[in-house]
Amino acid sequence: MNALPRYQQLKQQIIGQISRGELKPRDRVPSENELVGSAGVSRMTANRALRELNDEGYVERVAGVGTFVADLQSASHVLEVRNIADEIARRRHRHSATVITQKNERATDEIATSLRIDRGASVFHLLLVHRENDVPIQLEERYVVASFAPNCMQQDFCRQTPSAWLSAIAPLQEAEHKVRAAMPNDEIRKHLQLGDREPCLVVIRRTWSNGQPVSFARLYHPGSRFELTGHYTPPGIRKSTPEPAP
Amino acid sequence: MNALPRYQQLKQQIIGQISRGELKPRDRVPSENELVGSAGVSRMTANRALRELNDEGYVERVAGVGTFVADLQSASHVLEVRNIADEIARRRHRHSATVITQKNERATDEIATSLRIDRGASVFHLLLVHRENDVPIQLEERYVVASFAPNCMQQDFCRQTPSAWLSAIAPLQEAEHKVRAAMPNDEIRKHLQLGDREPCLVVIRRTWSNGQPVSFARLYHPGSRFELTGHYTPPGIRKSTPEPAP
DNA sequence: TAGTGGTCTAGACCACAAA
DNA sequence: TTGTGGTCTAGACCACTAG
């Protein structure tokens, strides 16, 4: 009947004090050494409890100073951005795709800046339409740093999505997203079969591998047929969210 | 020039092997005791490295069996949805708001369903415009379960945002988001001072407290002036993502 | 100088899996 | 029985901060 490990008990105890208001934001939390005395645990155990509370956003620790209750204020809600093929599969619908453009190009200023390469450097350019049960649901415009894209011209992106292909050749470590609403131009409207006054939900995604930008994509979705269904809030608060780049 | 702590070096080494493909999903990762021998660290240090890799989703550990590379498959990217006032403050701009509607109403079918209350039950209805340096940036249409909204008519929502007020009276535990692109109706267009062909980025948010839906909000943003600047992917994969409700 | 967190060690006991 | 992860201990050294 030995319930929780000691470090978990310690965590629960401190979380309880915070949620009951006995410990308020910016209040001092007992130091590791104090917990050694008061809770009768070793310092490593106290350290693990406080370190995990820090990782989970309940407290903030400053070496040489102490441990303090975090002011949680803006619990940052999160929203998931799924791969379109996965999203469709999750709905048990059928995914299909048509390649419109598949070629190597010279990087424009915008693309070069986004991918941190020289203007005019070689990039792989891809344009394709994703369909859900034969209805266009996403126009994917993607640029990949050429050196990361071996055999890119031999790939059949109707069978393997660019996203799946990329994660196979360069395991992504970081990603950056922007979501906008915008009116499509005529070409996009045509490919997505949009009405005249129908806006697009645009997801702009940049992915990184080994500290290097690898891919830049603009994903256009019909406003009437697509939504980002985010969800839930974790109890712990996320802390700093360092940008991969300045 | 003592670079990284040993457990971090160990983590990097293993992450490197995974990302270079030397270790593939479901492959066995050296056990703690093996790392004690091969890496020349103590078992606690090896344990911390593997434990953190587990927390971050790189590997999966099974007591009594071993540690294995996780099959990461669909790394779900996340996107942050910030409180508008915080977002503006973060940009060091000035936030202001104007209340358009503030009254108690009977719940419509849609609102009643969203908030899990009876049709015709009393709800607090709020409509206000948020401005960033005097430029309209968000139209907030919010409904709050009346029993959760004491003194709602006495509140001055120009001074305290509904979001801040809510989190003060009912600490939110879960939230659900949807993001869409849509054309605004005339009233919304007027309040946000939109052009004729300018779409809106619409965030629909439902918040929960103590297992009860508390608030339902539609947040309209000018497509030309607003984007959800989501970011980064945690290296770790989120494991379970339980839905707050069926 | 004293206290803090950050790290590391070399032991230890346990429950559990597989052989 | 052997090996695994899960936990815990009682020390230790370090860099940093504050008084």
Side-chain angles (χ1 to χ4, degrees):
Chain A
M1 69 148 272
N2 202 359
L4 288 173
R6 316 283 299 263
Y7 77 92
Q8 280 286 5
Q9 294 178 30
L10 262 181
K11 285 174 64 180
Q12 291 304 329
Q13 173 189 320
I14 294 170
I15 289 175
Q17 291 174 335
I18 292 175
S19 62
R20 284 193 302 274
E22 298 164 21
L23 283 174
K24 295 186 178 56
R26 294 171 188 264
D27 274 2
R28 200 173 186 296
V29 173
S31 74
E32 296 182 2
N33 279 321
E34 287 167 351
L35 288 175
V36 167
S38 68
V41 298
S42 77
R43 208 198 127 199
M44 275 302 279
T45 301
N47 172 273
R48 179 163 178 186
L50 292 178
R51 177 158 43 79
E52 292 195 358
L53 287 175
N54 178 67
D55 292 343
E56 292 163 15
Y58 287 101
V59 303
E60 300 206 358
R61 318 194 73 191
V62 184
V65 182
T67 300
F68 306 89
V69 177
D71 28 13
L72 32 93
Q73 41 181 353
S74 63
S76 65
H77 308 171
V78 294
L79 193 69
E80 260 183 62
V81 181
R82 279 203 180 77
N83 179 300
I84 188 69
D86 293 347
E87 182 69 32
I88 292 171
R90 208 174 61 90
R91 290 197 278 255
R92 301 177 177 279
H93 287 178
R94 186 165 39 81
H95 170 261
S96 59
T98 306
V99 174
I100 298 165
T101 302
Q102 179 172 2
K103 61 181 175 185
N104 282 294
E105 292 181 356
R106 300 285 156 195
T108 62
D109 268 349
E110 185 199 6
I111 302 303
T113 304
S114 289
L115 292 177
R116 307 273 177 98
I117 56 179
D118 294 332
R119 188 164 79 92
S122 181
V123 292
F124 177 50
H125 179 199
L126 204 49
L127 191 67
L128 67 161
V129 177
H130 295 272
R131 295 188 174 76
E132 177 171 3
N133 289 349
D134 298 324
V135 178
I137 191 76
Q138 180 186 95
L139 180 71
E140 172 174 3
E141 181 186 15
R142 186 181 287 272
Y143 298 87
V144 183
V145 176
S147 56
F148 271 94
N151 305 322
C152 53
M153 295 307 291
Q154 279 71 54
Q155 286 297 315
D156 178 2
F157 291 107
C158 296
R159 305 196 56 208
Q160 185 181 35
T161 66
S163 187
W165 170 66
L166 263 183
S167 69
I169 62 175
L172 85 101
Q173 294 170 339
E174 294 182 89
E176 187 189 74
H177 293 89
K178 294 181 186 178
V179 177
R180 297 178 186 156
M183 292 305 288
N185 63 27
D186 288 343
E187 187 191 2
I188 296 172
R189 181 178 298 116
K190 185 189 66 181
H191 287 308
L192 290 178
Q193 299 172 14
L194 298 177
D196 185 41
R197 287 180 55 81
E198 187 172 350
C200 283
L201 189 70
V202 190
V203 175
I204 296 168
R205 177 186 295 176
R206 197 155 55 131
T207 58
W208 303 63
S209 190
N210 301 321
Q212 262 281 323
V214 170
S215 164
F216 174 82
R218 275 187 284 246
L219 312 171
Y220 299 87
H221 310 84
S224 63
R225 278 172 263 153
F226 184 85
E227 63 182 13
L228 283 174
T229 63
H231 29 177
Y232 96 127
T233 308
I237 312 315
R238 208 146 308 289
K239 327 215 62 174
S240 66
T241 39
E243 274 196 276
Chain B
M1 72 146 276
N2 202 2
L4 287 174
R6 315 282 298 262
Y7 77 91
Q8 280 287 5
Q9 293 179 29
L10 261 182
K11 286 175 63 181
Q12 291 304 329
Q13 172 189 321
I14 293 169
I15 290 175
Q17 290 174 337
I18 293 174
S19 63
R20 284 192 302 273
E22 297 163 22
L23 283 174
K24 296 187 179 57
R26 293 169 186 267
D27 274 2
R28 198 173 187 295
V29 173
S31 74
E32 296 181 1
N33 280 320
E34 287 167 351
L35 288 176
V36 168
S38 69
V41 299
S42 77
R43 209 198 126 198
M44 276 301 281
T45 301
N47 173 272
R48 178 164 179 184
L50 292 179
R51 178 159 41 81
E52 293 196 357
L53 287 175
N54 179 67
D55 292 343
E56 292 162 16
Y58 285 103
V59 303
E60 300 206 356
R61 318 195 73 191
V62 184
V65 182
T67 301
F68 306 89
V69 177
D71 28 11
L72 32 93
Q73 44 183 345
S74 63
S76 66
H77 308 172
V78 293
L79 192 68
E80 262 183 62
V81 182
R82 279 203 180 76
N83 180 300
I84 187 69
D86 293 346
E87 182 68 33
I88 292 172
R90 208 174 61 91
R91 289 197 279 255
R92 301 178 178 277
H93 287 177
R94 186 165 40 82
H95 169 262
S96 59
T98 304
V99 175
I100 297 165
T101 302
Q102 179 172 2
K103 61 180 174 184
N104 282 294
E105 290 181 356
R106 299 287 155 195
T108 63
D109 268 350
E110 186 200 6
I111 302 302
T113 302
S114 290
L115 292 177
R116 307 270 177 101
I117 56 180
D118 294 333
R119 188 166 78 92
S122 181
V123 291
F124 176 50
H125 179 198
L126 203 49
L127 191 67
L128 67 162
V129 177
H130 295 272
R131 294 187 174 78
E132 177 171 4
N133 289 348
D134 298 323
V135 178
I137 192 75
Q138 180 186 96
L139 181 71
E140 173 174 2
E141 180 187 15
R142 187 181 286 273
Y143 298 86
V144 183
V145 176
S147 57
F148 270 95
N151 306 322
C152 54
M153 295 307 291
Q154 280 71 53
Q155 285 297 317
D156 178 0
F157 291 107
C158 295
R159 304 197 57 209
Q160 186 181 34
T161 67
S163 186
W165 170 67
L166 263 182
S167 68
I169 62 175
L172 86 99
Q173 294 169 339
E174 296 181 88
E176 188 188 73
H177 293 90
K178 293 179 185 177
V179 177
R180 296 179 187 154
M183 292 306 287
N185 62 28
D186 288 342
E187 187 192 1
I188 295 172
R189 180 180 299 116
K190 185 188 67 179
H191 287 309
L192 290 178
Q193 300 173 13
L194 299 176
D196 185 42
R197 288 181 53 82
E198 187 172 351
C200 283
L201 188 70
V202 189
V203 175
I204 296 167
R205 175 186 295 176
R206 198 157 53 132
T207 57
W208 304 61
S209 190
N210 302 321
Q212 262 281 322
V214 169
S215 164
F216 175 82
R218 276 188 282 248
L219 313 171
Y220 299 88
H221 311 83
S224 63
R225 277 172 262 151
F226 184 85
E227 62 182 13
L228 280 174
T229 63
H231 18 182
Y232 95 126
T233 307
I237 313 316
R238 207 145 310 288
K239 317 215 109 167
S240 69
T241 41
E243 273 195 277

